[in-house]
Amino acid sequence: MSALPDRHSGDYFELMPVALWEEDLSALKLIMAAWRREGIEDLEAYLAAHPDEVKRCAHSIKILRVNQSALDMLGRKPLRS
């Protein structure tokens, strides 16, 4: 049985030929849990009536890292020179 590198070693993440993003959605989860506690059931209607909440959700997402394929897709410079 071979041991795989841990998720932060970067070996597989960096070498994948597809764009990969590692994101932290924990703050978004807290926002949505609060809405559930408040009794919001129709998310589409709620967000249509509160477009500022869409921005709040988007800003709550933290991008932890991206691989070179993602940068290439966006036309950005390499991670390492």
Side-chain angles (χ1 to χ4, degrees), residues 14-61:
E14 288 300 325
L15 296 174
M16 293 300 292
V18 296
L20 297 175
W21 299 57
E22 183 177 5
E23 299 174 330
D24 177 356
L25 303 174
S26 59
L28 178 59
K29 182 179 177 183
L30 293 173
I31 291 169
M32 294 188 144
W35 291 342
R36 180 171 286 168
R37 285 190 306 274
E38 293 170 16
I40 296 167
E41 294 179 1
D42 187 343
L43 186 59
E44 183 178 0
Y46 177 77
L47 293 176
H50 303 88
D52 54 314
E53 290 295 297
V54 176
K55 288 181 184 178
R56 179 176 165 219
C57 288
H59 289 136
S60 75
I61 299 169

